[in-house]
Amino acid sequence: MSAAPDRRLVAVVLLVPVVVALALWAFAWPAARMAPRDLPLGVAGSAPAADRLAQRLEQRDGAFAIHRYDSEDAARTAIRDRSVYGAVVVTPKGPELLTASAAGPVVAQLLSEAVTASAPAGTTVPVTDVVAAPAADPRGSVLGASILPLAIAGVATGSAVTLLRLRGGRAVTALLGVAVLVGILAAALTDSWLGVITGDWWSEAGALGLTVLAIGATVAGLAALIGPAGIGLGALLMVLVGNPFSGVTSAPELLPRPVGAIGQWLPPGAGGSLLRSVAFFDGRAAGGAALTLALWAALGLTAVIIGGRRRPPAPDAPETTPSRQPAFAG
């Protein structure tokens, strides 16, 4: 009896628990260690009261990266530009908090709790939502849940291109076509039907499609270079690492270091940031995320083209058996 089945049995028994443990670590560990880490926060108002508040906030073990503004209008502009998640305005009546729940309802709630705790005892801190999340999705649940389906769509596209043995230009055309159609369909569902994203429709479709293209091209490119194992590697990178590290359900600055930074360099995190910018902030601060996705897409498509130029393996020739020559009687 061959030992190959036994080796495969051992491989399955050992590999599946390892993958499960990795998935639990990737999804559970960042969530369990969620806390602000250099979270951009503005402080506006005249000195010295505003300066004293900024100093108190800076002493919270590196929780906040404080940005000083001279006026409330300047702080509001910084929030709309996505330079800060919120701002504390020091007024003669006491502190007031400006938030942007569209940038992350979890962050807005955290800022409200932190500023209230820093205010004098018994002080009520008024809160103004400068860029509010849409009424159809006030908790940002749908946008947070949208990245996993996009990652799965990208992995499925790259896998299909590989398994169907599409090569070169045909593979590129398939990846681009799927990305365009998924972007249009996803924008129709989330914007036109559900109303959970409210920005420019075509910009949203472009962000959704570019995310799928970056993921799909990466998976197909890895498979073109290293073979079918590239599908598994791409899925591991995009789904088990990129999705939980994306910070789209909270904020990159709430994840443990360097998870938040790593997530923004991967397509799921960049896609989530780009979609949030075009959906709620008129495209402000979208450049970095768009560039990251474009680089992943370009590298993946280049790998697909390079892999397509290799000579495909010749199909196995059917085994032939020498025909028996008829015996002739002499």
Side-chain angles (χ1 to χ4, degrees), residues 5-320:
D6 293 336
R7 289 197 296 267
R8 289 195 292 267
L9 173 62
V10 173
V12 170
V13 171
L14 295 179
L15 183 60
V16 171
V18 169
V19 173
V20 171
L22 177 61
L24 288 174
W25 168 81
F27 281 87
W29 174 60
R33 297 293 185 267
M34 191 176 296
R37 297 169 176 86
D38 288 331
L39 186 77
L41 175 64
V43 173
S46 58
D51 292 335
R52 287 197 298 267
L53 176 60
Q55 290 175 358
R56 288 201 301 271
L57 291 172
E58 286 176 338
Q59 293 172 356
R60 292 175 61 100
D61 298 327
F64 301 108
I66 302 300
H67 299 248
R68 275 289 274 119
Y69 300 101
D70 294 331
S71 65
E72 179 179 342
D73 289 341
R76 287 175 176 266
T77 299
I79 293 173
R80 294 191 183 98
D81 289 341
R82 300 202 68 189
S83 298
V84 293
Y85 283 94
V88 185
V89 182
V90 179
T91 70
K93 297 180 180 180
E96 298 179 2
L97 177 62
L98 307 177
T99 64
S101 59
V106 173
V107 179
Q109 179 64 30
L110 182 149
L111 290 178
S112 179
E113 295 172 356
V115 172
T116 300
S118 299
T123 301
T124 301
V125 180
V127 179
T128 302
D129 201 344
V130 177
V131 185
D137 188 27
R139 297 181 180 179
S141 303
V142 176
L143 190 144
S146 65
I147 298 303
L148 181 57
L150 294 178
I152 294 174
V155 172
T157 304
S159 302
V161 165
T162 302
L163 297 177
L164 293 175
R165 297 185 180 181
L166 300 179
R167 302 171 65 83
R170 290 182 179 178
V172 171
T173 300
L175 291 165
L176 291 172
V178 170
V180 170
L181 292 178
V182 169
I184 292 174
L185 178 61
L189 290 173
T190 54
D191 187 318
S192 304
W193 181 39
L194 296 176
V196 295
I197 56 177
T198 57
D200 178 73
W201 197 94
W202 287 107
S203 297
E204 294 165 351
L208 292 162
L210 183 57
T211 303
V212 173
L213 177 61
I215 296 171
T218 299
V219 172
L222 287 171
L225 294 179
I226 66 176
I231 297 176
L233 179 60
L236 181 69
L237 183 64
M238 298 302 169
V239 177
L240 291 187
V241 177
N243 185 66
F245 286 15
S246 67
V248 69
T249 59
S250 54
E253 293 85 359
L254 297 185
L255 301 180
R257 295 188 181 98
V259 166
I262 293 173
Q264 294 306 295
W265 283 103
L266 294 173
S273 295
L274 177 60
L275 181 59
R276 195 181 295 278
S277 288
V278 300
F280 306 126
F281 294 89
D282 296 325
R284 295 181 178 92
L291 178 60
T292 299
L293 291 173
L295 287 173
W296 278 96
L299 291 173
L301 294 176
T302 300
V304 168
I305 294 173
I306 293 174
R309 290 179 177 177
R310 298 177 179 177
R311 169 177 281 186
D316 294 336
E319 294 183 2
T320 59

